[in-house]
């Protein structure tokens, strides 16, 4: 006991001279004036803005749900840096438009049958509040994949359909085909996401009453039919006798059927035609700008007449906003996912920037007091963002320290961005050669992957949520993906 007391006294005395010295004003070590430091100043400004923040607990007149398909945290961070660098700015400190939204959280994206979701369950959980199996849309988890039998009874209404039933307008915009999984989350109900045209249906599906997603979009009862649908997939709407390469075997031209629903319904197939649409004279707008998915903006030199995601978003808002009761709009930046599957980070990050532009347009065209804007993802991807590069180096290039290559353990150069899986992996055990800097920064470069597969696999980590407007404060913390639906339905007052 005496030994313990003695040791305690010695320990206290050991600190005493430092304490006495610290109390002497002329002994305090000099410090930098914090207020001259940019990070300190920015922190002060951010705190000042946060202290002014008051949750908007009112009802939303409008909801715009943005989905960055496959946009995990690494995609946001790398996309932010890439976007800044493309503008000649410091990428690390650059802000995407949705970085500035006041409320953030995380979403758990698993499905009822898989640890890692696909886009079908990913969007279905968000738009219906009910998770389902991978590959299914707008139905509950009792369905059997690729089997129609019993699936009609498993149908679950989407928030877009509920908004329509309440008298609001609704629409969907995507850079994918309009019958792809994510856009179909607004209007579709199917146990198999690839039943996109009637030629895709199995005999069992036809026998048990399932219909393709293109028909579901056009044939939906007027009370729940989408007012705007902009994206790709023209071939899914045309008969196989059409010279525009239609794939329908039922002989129907669904674009004409869309136009036939009202005197002011329009169909357009080019950026020029979309720009010419008079929103004040259009109540139903279908735009199909490619046979399948829309091309990347990187490639628009070969596709002059394809609208950007921001252009489609702007036109959709103009058409939908005429409804005094409000609207629901789903906007998907699909090519983040499409190019991640190919290990092409340049085009994937370009589409993160495209999403940011579309969100900026929405923010400019709406009032934060009555419009709930949500930006999130259906799932992540295995993009890896590794250390090594100093801040002036291009994120698409090799890892370099002020121009000097940062080598791996084998003495080879390496890229800052890589993938866990994908076509960039070692095929037949043969590793890919190290690229040059010029090769690595090329838009066509395919980043290396740890494991070879034909198409990179999704990743299962939580994805971010960004929000502003009425009830946005409810989208904080870590939540189930299906919870996002609950917030939207509550904000619009459309709970079934």
């Amino acid at each position: 006991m005496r030994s313990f007391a003695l040791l305690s006294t010695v320990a206290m005395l050991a600190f005493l001279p430092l304490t006495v010295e610290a109390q002497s004003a002329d002994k305090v070590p000099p410090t930098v004036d914090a207020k001259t430091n940019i990070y300190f100043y920015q922190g002060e400004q951010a705190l000042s803005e946060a202290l002014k923040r008051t949750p908007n607990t009112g009802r939303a007149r409008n909801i715009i749900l943005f989905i960055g398909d496959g946009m995990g945290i690494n995609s946001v961070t790398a996309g932010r840096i890439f976007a800044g660098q493309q503008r000649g700015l410091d990428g690390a400190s650059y802000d995407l438009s949705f970085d500035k939204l006041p409320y953030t959280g995380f979403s758990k994206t698993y499905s009822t049958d898989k640890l890692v979701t696909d886009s079908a369950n990913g969007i279905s959980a968000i738009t219906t509040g009910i998770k389902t199996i991978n590959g299914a849309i707008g139905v509950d988890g009792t369905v059997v994949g690729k089997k129609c039998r019993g699936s009609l009874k498993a149908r679950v209404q989407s928030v877009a359909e509920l908004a329509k039933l309440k008298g609001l307008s609704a629409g969907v915009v995507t850079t994918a085909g309009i019958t792809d999984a994510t856009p179909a989350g607004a209007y579709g109900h199917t146990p198999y996401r690839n039943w996109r045209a009637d030629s895709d249906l199995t005999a069992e599906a036809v026998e048990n009453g399932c219909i393709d997603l293109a028909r579901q979009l056009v044939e939906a009862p007027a009370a729940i039919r989408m007012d705007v649908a902009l994206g790709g997939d023209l071939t899914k709407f045309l008969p196989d006798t059409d010279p525009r390469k239609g794939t329908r075997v039922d002989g129907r031209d669904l674009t004409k059927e869309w136009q036939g629903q009202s005197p002011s319904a329009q169909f357009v197939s080019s950026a020029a035609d979309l720009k010419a649409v008079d929103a004040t004279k259009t109540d139903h707008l279908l735009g199909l700008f490619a046979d399948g998915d829309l091309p990347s903006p990187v490639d628009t030199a070969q596709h002059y007449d394809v609208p950007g995601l921001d252009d489609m978003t702007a036109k959709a808002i103009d058409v939908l906003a005429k409804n005094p009761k409000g609207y629901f709009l789903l906007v998907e930046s699909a090519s983040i996912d499409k190019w991640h599957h190919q290990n092409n980070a340049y085009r994937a990050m370009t589409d993160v920037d495209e999403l940011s532009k579309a969100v900026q347009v929405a923010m400019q065209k709406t009032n934060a007091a009555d419009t709930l804007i949500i930006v999130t993802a259906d799932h992540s991807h295995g993009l890896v963002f590794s250390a090594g590069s100093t801040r002036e180096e291009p994120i698409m290039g090799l890892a370099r320290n002020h121009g000097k290559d940062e080598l791996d353990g084998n003495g080879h150069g390496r890229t800052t961005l890589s993938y866990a899986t994908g076509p960039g992996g070692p095929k037949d055990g043969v590793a890919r050669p190290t690229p040059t800097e010029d090769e690595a920064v090329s838009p066509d470069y395919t980043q290396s992957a740890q494991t070879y597969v034909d198409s990179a696999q999704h990743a299962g980590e939580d994805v971010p949520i960004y929000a502003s407007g009425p009830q946005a404060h409810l989208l904080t913390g870590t939540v189930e993906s299906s919870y996002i639906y609950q917030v939207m339905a509550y904000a619009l007052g459309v709970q079934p």
Side-chain angles (χ1 to χ4, degrees), residues 105 139 183 286 343 360 480:
V139 290
L286 174 64
N343 289 166
Q360 184 64 40
E480 296 285 354

Side-chain angles (χ1 to χ4, degrees), residues 386-461:
S386 298
S389 278
T390 43
R391 281 171 59 171
E392 77 280 4
E393 298 292 345
I395 192 170
M396 290 298 159
L398 299 176
R400 297 193 300 185
N401 188 343
H402 300 299
K404 182 179 179 180
D405 289 353
E406 291 282 298
L407 304 180
D408 64 18
N410 296 313
H412 301 144
R414 56 188 174 84
T415 55
T416 298
L417 299 179
S418 61
Y419 286 86
T421 66
K427 191 173 183 180
D428 298 324
V430 179
R432 299 173 61 202
T434 302
T436 65
E437 177 70 3
D438 286 344
E439 289 172 335
V441 299
S442 166
D444 297 325
Y445 180 68
T446 299
Q447 270 71 19
S448 63
Q450 179 181 5
T451 302
Y452 174 80
V453 290
D454 289 338
S455 178
Q457 296 179 324
H458 296 169
E461 75 268 21

